[in-house]
PDB file of all heavy atoms in Angstrom:
ATOM      1  N   GLU A 189     -35.874  19.062  15.305  1.00  0.00           N
ATOM      2  CA  GLU A 189     -37.264  19.016  15.194  1.00  0.00           C
ATOM      3  C   GLU A 189     -37.792  18.702  13.744  1.00  0.00           C
ATOM      4  O   GLU A 189     -38.667  19.338  13.289  1.00  0.00           O
ATOM      5  CB  GLU A 189     -37.875  20.341  15.663  1.00  0.00           C
ATOM      6  CG  GLU A 189     -37.647  20.580  17.212  1.00  0.00           C
ATOM      7  CD  GLU A 189     -38.415  21.701  17.864  1.00  0.00           C
ATOM      8  OE1 GLU A 189     -38.851  22.631  17.098  1.00  0.00           O
ATOM      9  OE2 GLU A 189     -38.587  21.601  19.080  1.00  0.00           O
ATOM     10  N   ALA A 190     -37.140  17.808  13.202  1.00  0.00           N
ATOM     11  CA  ALA A 190     -37.574  17.419  11.762  1.00  0.00           C
ATOM     12  C   ALA A 190     -39.060  17.035  11.699  1.00  0.00           C
ATOM     13  O   ALA A 190     -39.685  17.236  10.694  1.00  0.00           O
ATOM     14  CB  ALA A 190     -36.722  16.190  11.249  1.00  0.00           C
ATOM     15  N   TYR A 191     -39.570  16.440  12.819  1.00  0.00           N
ATOM     16  CA  TYR A 191     -40.912  15.985  12.737  1.00  0.00           C
ATOM     17  C   TYR A 191     -41.959  16.747  13.622  1.00  0.00           C
ATOM     18  O   TYR A 191     -43.101  16.288  13.799  1.00  0.00           O
ATOM     19  CB  TYR A 191     -40.903  14.439  13.131  1.00  0.00           C
ATOM     20  CG  TYR A 191     -40.084  13.662  12.198  1.00  0.00           C
ATOM     21  CD1 TYR A 191     -38.773  13.290  12.542  1.00  0.00           C
ATOM     22  CD2 TYR A 191     -40.512  13.414  10.913  1.00  0.00           C
ATOM     23  CE1 TYR A 191     -38.006  12.528  11.734  1.00  0.00           C
ATOM     24  CE2 TYR A 191     -39.721  12.618   9.974  1.00  0.00           C
ATOM     25  CZ  TYR A 191     -38.486  12.273  10.342  1.00  0.00           C
ATOM     26  OH  TYR A 191     -37.634  11.542   9.451  1.00  0.00           O
ATOM     27  N   ILE A 192     -41.532  17.835  14.232  1.00  0.00           N
ATOM     28  CA  ILE A 192     -42.331  18.493  15.293  1.00  0.00           C
ATOM     29  C   ILE A 192     -43.671  18.905  14.779  1.00  0.00           C
ATOM     30  O   ILE A 192     -44.586  19.041  15.568  1.00  0.00           O
ATOM     31  CB  ILE A 192     -41.518  19.660  15.980  1.00  0.00           C
ATOM     32  CG1 ILE A 192     -42.230  20.066  17.273  1.00  0.00           C
ATOM     33  CG2 ILE A 192     -41.339  20.839  14.985  1.00  0.00           C
ATOM     34  CD1 ILE A 192     -42.023  19.174  18.414  1.00  0.00           C
ATOM     35  N   ASP A 193     -43.813  19.290  13.429  1.00  0.00           N
ATOM     36  CA  ASP A 193     -45.085  19.745  13.001  1.00  0.00           C
ATOM     37  C   ASP A 193     -46.205  18.707  13.041  1.00  0.00           C
ATOM     38  O   ASP A 193     -47.356  19.065  12.923  1.00  0.00           O
ATOM     39  CB  ASP A 193     -44.935  20.293  11.572  1.00  0.00           C
ATOM     40  CG  ASP A 193     -44.017  21.487  11.467  1.00  0.00           C
ATOM     41  OD1 ASP A 193     -44.132  22.351  12.306  1.00  0.00           O
ATOM     42  OD2 ASP A 193     -43.134  21.615  10.600  1.00  0.00           O
ATOM     43  N   PHE A 194     -45.824  17.433  13.275  1.00  0.00           N
ATOM     44  CA  PHE A 194     -46.781  16.426  13.227  1.00  0.00           C
ATOM     45  C   PHE A 194     -47.242  16.036  14.684  1.00  0.00           C
ATOM     46  O   PHE A 194     -48.104  15.187  14.862  1.00  0.00           O
ATOM     47  CB  PHE A 194     -46.248  15.153  12.499  1.00  0.00           C
ATOM     48  CG  PHE A 194     -45.914  15.369  11.128  1.00  0.00           C
ATOM     49  CD1 PHE A 194     -44.608  15.510  10.637  1.00  0.00           C
ATOM     50  CD2 PHE A 194     -46.912  15.477  10.116  1.00  0.00           C
ATOM     51  CE1 PHE A 194     -44.249  15.797   9.356  1.00  0.00           C
ATOM     52  CE2 PHE A 194     -46.643  15.756   8.731  1.00  0.00           C
ATOM     53  CZ  PHE A 194     -45.263  15.883   8.459  1.00  0.00           C
ATOM     54  N   GLY A 195     -46.674  16.764  15.650  1.00  0.00           N
ATOM     55  CA  GLY A 195     -47.175  16.609  17.049  1.00  0.00           C
ATOM     56  C   GLY A 195     -46.103  17.041  18.032  1.00  0.00           C
ATOM     57  O   GLY A 195     -44.901  16.897  17.819  1.00  0.00           O
ATOM     58  N   GLY A 196     -46.599  17.621  19.129  1.00  0.00           N
ATOM     59  CA  GLY A 196     -45.756  18.058  20.119  1.00  0.00           C
ATOM     60  C   GLY A 196     -45.406  19.557  20.192  1.00  0.00           C
ATOM     61  O   GLY A 196     -45.684  20.256  19.198  1.00  0.00           O
ATOM     62  N   GLU A 197     -44.853  19.988  21.297  1.00  0.00           N
ATOM     63  CA  GLU A 197     -44.510  21.367  21.414  1.00  0.00           C
ATOM     64  C   GLU A 197     -43.062  21.648  21.068  1.00  0.00           C
ATOM     65  O   GLU A 197     -42.213  20.973  21.589  1.00  0.00           O
ATOM     66  CB  GLU A 197     -44.850  21.859  22.877  1.00  0.00           C
ATOM     67  CG  GLU A 197     -44.744  23.309  23.062  1.00  0.00           C
ATOM     68  CD  GLU A 197     -45.037  23.816  24.491  1.00  0.00           C
ATOM     69  OE1 GLU A 197     -45.767  23.023  25.257  1.00  0.00           O
ATOM     70  OE2 GLU A 197     -44.556  24.882  24.873  1.00  0.00           O
ATOM     71  N   SER A 198     -42.836  22.661  20.331  1.00  0.00           N
ATOM     72  CA  SER A 198     -41.429  22.997  19.960  1.00  0.00           C
ATOM     73  C   SER A 198     -40.568  23.626  21.064  1.00  0.00           C
ATOM     74  O   SER A 198     -41.252  24.223  21.937  1.00  0.00           O
ATOM     75  CB  SER A 198     -41.539  23.967  18.690  1.00  0.00           C
ATOM     76  OG  SER A 198     -40.286  24.471  18.410  1.00  0.00           O
ATOM     77  N   ALA A 199     -39.335  23.423  20.952  1.00  0.00           N
ATOM     78  CA  ALA A 199     -38.422  24.067  21.875  1.00  0.00           C
ATOM     79  C   ALA A 199     -38.116  25.519  21.441  1.00  0.00           C
ATOM     80  O   ALA A 199     -37.335  26.218  22.177  1.00  0.00           O
ATOM     81  CB  ALA A 199     -37.016  23.290  21.933  1.00  0.00           C
ATOM     82  N   LEU A 200     -38.683  25.955  20.347  1.00  0.00           N
ATOM     83  CA  LEU A 200     -38.429  27.343  19.929  1.00  0.00           C
ATOM     84  C   LEU A 200     -38.817  28.352  20.984  1.00  0.00           C
ATOM     85  O   LEU A 200     -38.139  29.412  21.070  1.00  0.00           O
ATOM     86  CB  LEU A 200     -39.293  27.624  18.599  1.00  0.00           C
ATOM     87  CG  LEU A 200     -38.714  27.092  17.342  1.00  0.00           C
ATOM     88  CD1 LEU A 200     -39.594  27.486  16.189  1.00  0.00           C
ATOM     89  CD2 LEU A 200     -37.278  27.645  17.070  1.00  0.00           C
ATOM     90  N   GLY A 201     -39.851  28.003  21.782  1.00  0.00           N
ATOM     91  CA  GLY A 201     -40.233  28.961  22.851  1.00  0.00           C
ATOM     92  C   GLY A 201     -39.168  29.139  23.905  1.00  0.00           C
ATOM     93  O   GLY A 201     -39.297  30.033  24.792  1.00  0.00           O
TER      94      GLY A 201
END
Side-chain angles (χ1 to χ4, degrees):
E189 294 191 336
Y191 301 102
I192 194 73
D193 294 318
F194 301 103
E197 189 181 336
S198 170
L200 280 178

